[in-house]
């Protein structure tokens, strides 16, 4: 791993421990999808930053584009990929390349895919054939942003990068790729991975708000396929071998320890150069798929995983599964980390999120952020709506436990855990 990436990751961890409390998840319409709960041996693979119409590096595939090589390999194993594509990075200038092996190898101020001054060989806009092949062969396409510009500051690793900084600018970027895919291919994007996972913006909004505006889920991953990391070995062949091994050996060891370890997991991959300007994924993907096949796994799209279960901590065997599946399509009942935590006590803020209509909830909170210029609690809009409807006690606090439920909306409840409240809920009553 390059030194700057190591330092950046370590610095971020240290800073979080010093100045930031442990992350507190809240109910959200947008959830960070890293894995789902299932006993079946199915998993997903996501491929970031493509398509790439340049050969693998080193090229041992007769000049075929890297994306074609990945699609060929997936087809051989009957696997379906999730391609997290960019639109077009050719507008990301003026810029210059950073040092190969560093995080800025492809641009100091912006990202350029597949490489700086070769933007016309990458992205959905320049690769109609590859996009059509993905769709024809049953793969999923997700959004990685039109220009792949980070949403907010990322001082460690990407301190020199231009960032969007506001929800309006981020939405504008995503809408451009969304419209392109819909208008040219009749394809509706449903998931988004923020560039470099930068969530907070300077106007009080986050990437979760952006996804709420777009109607997307937040596509993350639970296992790093590692093909994006460069080896520090000086010999090119040795470096490539080390990078391929770094993709394969952690997977092998994980499966040897627990053959069910990848059930429902999302594996992160790269459709492009790593920081050493090599493509170990062209060689390591086959070996990863061989391991998964040996252990009886089927590689499916991220959408197929969510069809198996929308939740990280509740599977089909739970008697409340079908009701919660239907409810989560219209109400925020799942935490931002995609967990339900059904044994936890229900709070007033969580009850408000169950009762308040989505459009009202989002509109009220967003308007308050714009009015004040400050971040607002995740339940602000729902609490405001429920207070206006008389559905919560006067002066109710979001973190206060629920001790009674509004009449007419619930059957008699056996308690006030989240499970019991959702079990008792009879239906919406939007006023």
């Amino acid at each position: 791993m390059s030194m700057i990436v190591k330092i950046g990751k370590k610095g971020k961890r240290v800073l979080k421990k010093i100045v930031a409390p442990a992350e507190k998840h809240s109910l959200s319409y947008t959830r960070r999808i890293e894995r789902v709960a299932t006993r079946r041996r199915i998993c997903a693979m996501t491929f970031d930053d493509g398509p790439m119409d340049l050969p693998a590096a080193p090229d041992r595939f007769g000049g075929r584009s890297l994306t074609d090589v990945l699609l060929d390999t997936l087809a051989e194993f009957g696997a379906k990929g999730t391609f997290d594509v960019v639109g077009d990075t050719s507008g990301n200038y003026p810029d210059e390349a950073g040092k190969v092996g560093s995080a800025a190898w492809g641009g100091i101020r912006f990202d350029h895919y597949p490489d700086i001054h070769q933007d016309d060989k990458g992205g959905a806009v320049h690769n109609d054939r590859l996009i059509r092949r993905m769709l024809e062969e049953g793969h999923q396409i997700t959004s990685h942003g039109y220009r792949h510009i980070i949403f907010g500051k990322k001082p460690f690793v990407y301190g020199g990068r231009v960032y969007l900084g506001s929800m309006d600018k981020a939405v504008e970027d995503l809408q451009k790729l969304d419209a392109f895919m819909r208008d040219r291919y009749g394809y509706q994007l449903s998931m988004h991975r923020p560039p470099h996972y930068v969530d907070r913006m300077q106007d009080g909004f986050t990437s979760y708000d952006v996804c709420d505006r777009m109607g997307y889920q937040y596509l993350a991953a639970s296992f790093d396929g590692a093909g994006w990391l460069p080896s520090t070995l000086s010999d090119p062949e040795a470096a490539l071998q080390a990078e391929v091994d770094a993709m394969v050996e952690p997977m092998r060891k994980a499966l040897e320890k627990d053959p069910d370890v990848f059930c429902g997991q999302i594996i992160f991959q790269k459709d492009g150069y790593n920081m050493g300007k090599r493509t170990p994924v062209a060689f390591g993907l086959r070996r990863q798929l061989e391991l998964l096949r040996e252990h009886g796994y089927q590689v499916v799209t991220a959408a197929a995983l969510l069809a198996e279960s929308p939740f990280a901590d509740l599977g089909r065997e739970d008697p409340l599964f079908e009701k919660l599946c239907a409810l989560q399509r219209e109400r925020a009942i799942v935490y931002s980390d995609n967990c339900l935590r059904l044994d936890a006590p229900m709070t007033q803020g969580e009850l408000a999120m169950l009762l308040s209509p989505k459009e009202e909830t989002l509109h009220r909170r967003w308007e308050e952020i714009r009015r004040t210029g400050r971040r607002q609690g995740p339940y602000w809009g729902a609490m405001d709506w429920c207070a206006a409807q008389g559905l919560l006690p006067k002066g109710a606090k979001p973190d206060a436990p629920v001790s009674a439920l509004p009449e007419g909306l619930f059957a008699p409840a056996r308690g006030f855990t989240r499970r019991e409240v959702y079990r008792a809920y009879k239906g919406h009553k939007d006023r």
Side-chain angles (χ1 to χ4, degrees):
M1 184 187 297
S2 86
M3 187 58 65
I4 190 171
V5 175
K6 283 185 177 180
I7 293 172
K9 286 177 176 288
K10 184 175 181 180
K12 186 176 180 180
R13 288 195 297 268
V14 170
L15 184 65
K16 279 187 173 182
K17 288 181 180 179
I18 294 174
V19 303
E23 184 176 4
K24 183 179 180 181
H25 296 287
S26 55
L27 298 187
S28 177
Y29 300 103
T30 294
R31 290 113 62 185
R32 184 183 172 106
I33 312 297
E34 296 185 351
R35 66 182 305 163
V36 304
T38 180
R39 296 174 180 175
R40 294 176 58 201
R41 290 191 180 178
I42 57 173
C43 63
M45 283 187 172
T46 64
F47 299 86
D48 274 21
D49 305 332
M52 172 169 160
D53 194 23
L54 287 175
D59 179 16
R60 292 168 187 167
F61 303 92
R64 289 182 66 72
S65 79
L66 173 65
T67 302
D68 277 315
V69 171
L70 301 181
L71 291 169
D72 291 346
T73 307
L74 291 169
E76 184 178 339
F77 286 83
K80 302 300 180 185
T82 300
F83 286 85
D84 199 36
V85 306
V86 300
D88 174 20
T89 59
S90 62
N92 294 353
Y93 291 95
D95 202 1
E96 58 184 292
K99 182 181 178 181
V100 173
S102 77
W105 65 271
I108 292 175
R109 299 181 70 240
F110 299 95
D111 283 311
H112 302 274
Y113 294 121
D115 198 358
I116 194 165
H117 305 307
Q118 296 195 81
D119 308 77
D120 62 337
K121 298 295 184 181
V125 171
H126 302 292
N127 287 285
D128 178 74
R129 180 186 64 81
L130 291 172
I131 293 292
R132 291 189 185 280
R133 182 179 176 191
M134 291 175 188
L135 296 176
E136 288 167 2
E137 296 182 8
H139 303 288
Q140 183 180 0
I141 294 178
T142 57
S143 169
H144 205 23
Y146 190 86
R147 293 174 60 193
H148 199 274
I149 300 177
I150 54 178
F151 286 1
K153 294 179 181 179
K154 192 170 187 178
F156 297 107
V157 183
Y158 291 113
R161 284 290 168 92
V162 173
Y163 57 90
L164 295 173
S166 74
M167 179 166 78
D168 289 343
K169 289 182 180 179
V171 167
E172 181 182 4
D173 180 84
L174 266 59
Q175 284 177 334
K176 196 170 182 180
L177 181 57
D178 189 275
F180 174 81
M181 290 299 302
R182 186 176 61 253
D183 294 346
R184 179 172 290 189
Y185 304 104
Y187 187 84
Q188 182 60 60
L189 298 171
S190 62
M191 305 184 80
H192 169 66
R193 177 172 287 159
H196 302 298
Y197 290 114
V198 177
D199 292 329
R200 286 199 167 198
M201 293 173 285
Q202 283 56 53
D203 62 345
F205 292 97
T206 73
S207 62
Y208 290 83
D209 295 306
V210 174
C211 286
D212 280 341
R213 276 276 298 272
M214 296 299 300
Y216 292 162
Q217 288 300 337
Y218 187 136
L219 177 63
S222 51
F223 188 85
D224 188 350
W228 61 282
L229 289 171
S231 167
T232 56
L233 296 175
S234 57
D235 177 76
E237 278 300 317
L240 177 64
Q241 186 58 54
E243 290 163 359
V244 173
D245 288 344
M247 292 183 63
V248 177
E249 291 310 308
M251 181 177 285
R252 184 191 308 280
K253 291 176 181 178
L255 287 165
E256 288 175 352
K257 184 177 180 180
D258 178 8
D260 291 321
V261 67
F262 287 105
C263 292
Q265 287 217 50
I266 298 176
I267 301 168
F268 177 88
Q269 308 279 22
K270 171 88 170 172
D271 182 7
Y273 295 126
N274 70 6
M275 288 187 286
K277 297 192 76 169
R278 291 178 292 269
T279 59
V281 66
F283 310 94
L285 177 60
R286 173 179 297 278
R287 292 174 57 186
Q288 288 181 332
L289 291 172
E290 287 172 346
L291 281 172
L292 291 169
R293 183 170 64 181
E294 288 170 10
H295 287 81
Y297 280 88
Q298 180 184 6
V299 178
V300 301
T301 63
L305 278 189
L306 286 175
E308 174 70 15
S309 172
F311 316 115
D313 61 345
L314 189 84
R316 291 180 172 275
E317 65 280 359
D318 191 282
L320 209 54
F321 179 80
E322 294 297 338
K323 181 176 184 179
L324 294 175
C325 280
L327 196 54
Q328 59 88 30
R329 297 187 187 104
E330 299 184 30
R331 290 298 199 262
I333 65 167
V334 192
Y335 289 95
S336 54
D337 64 350
N338 203 33
C339 290
L340 282 158
R341 297 182 174 86
L342 293 179
D343 294 331
M346 176 75 80
T347 68
Q348 297 286 355
E350 293 167 357
L351 179 61
M353 293 295 280
L354 173 64
L355 300 177
S356 177
K358 178 178 179 179
E359 294 304 319
E360 281 285 349
T361 300
L362 294 176
H363 174 75
R364 288 176 183 242
R365 179 173 168 274
W366 290 344
E367 286 300 305
E368 184 67 7
I369 293 173
R370 294 186 190 281
R371 185 185 71 81
T372 64
R374 299 193 302 270
R375 301 184 190 279
Q376 298 296 330
Y379 305 147
W380 195 96
M383 295 286 290
D384 189 57
W385 185 85
C386 285
Q389 307 302 314
L391 293 175
L392 294 181
K394 288 185 178 180
K397 302 297 183 183
D399 292 335
V402 170
S403 57
L405 297 172
E407 293 184 4
L409 301 179
F410 296 86
R414 294 180 287 187
F416 299 103
T417 65
R418 289 169 48 73
R419 176 181 288 277
E420 293 306 325
V421 172
Y422 291 139
R423 189 200 306 274
Y425 184 57
K426 294 193 297 186
H428 306 334
K429 189 176 181 181
D430 299 348
R431 302 181 180 184

